[in-house]
Amino acid sequence: MTFASLSEFMRMGAHGAYVWTAYGLTLAALVAIHVFTARRRRRLQHTLDTLKQHDDSR
């Protein structure tokens, strides 16, 4: 499938709205997974550091 112009590519025939919505939702889901994972990792690291400090003080 070839497109003559950028606007034709963006429309993807009659399916552009569905295609770009799917790409957008997929990107949003990947970003959300990354953000939630990074936050959880930071919280767990903080908990581990706190426990280690508590254990070292004994």
Side-chain angles (χ1 to χ4, degrees):
M1 177 181 265
T2 61
F3 300 102
S5 67
L6 182 60
S7 64
E8 198 176 309
F9 171 73
M10 297 301 282
R11 281 192 306 265
M12 298 261 176
H15 306 290
Y18 303 109
V19 171
W20 296 114
T21 300
Y23 276 124
L25 291 173
T26 301
L27 179 62
L30 290 172
V31 168
I33 289 169
H34 175 74
V35 168
F36 292 136
T37 302
R39 286 182 182 171
R40 178 138 172 94
R41 183 185 181 283
R42 277 195 300 270
R43 281 195 308 261
L44 288 173
Q45 189 63 50
H46 176 71
T47 302
L48 287 173
D49 291 343
T50 303
L51 289 172
K52 186 170 177 7
Q53 285 178 350
H54 179 72
D55 192 44
D56 289 345
S57 66
R58 287 183 167 193

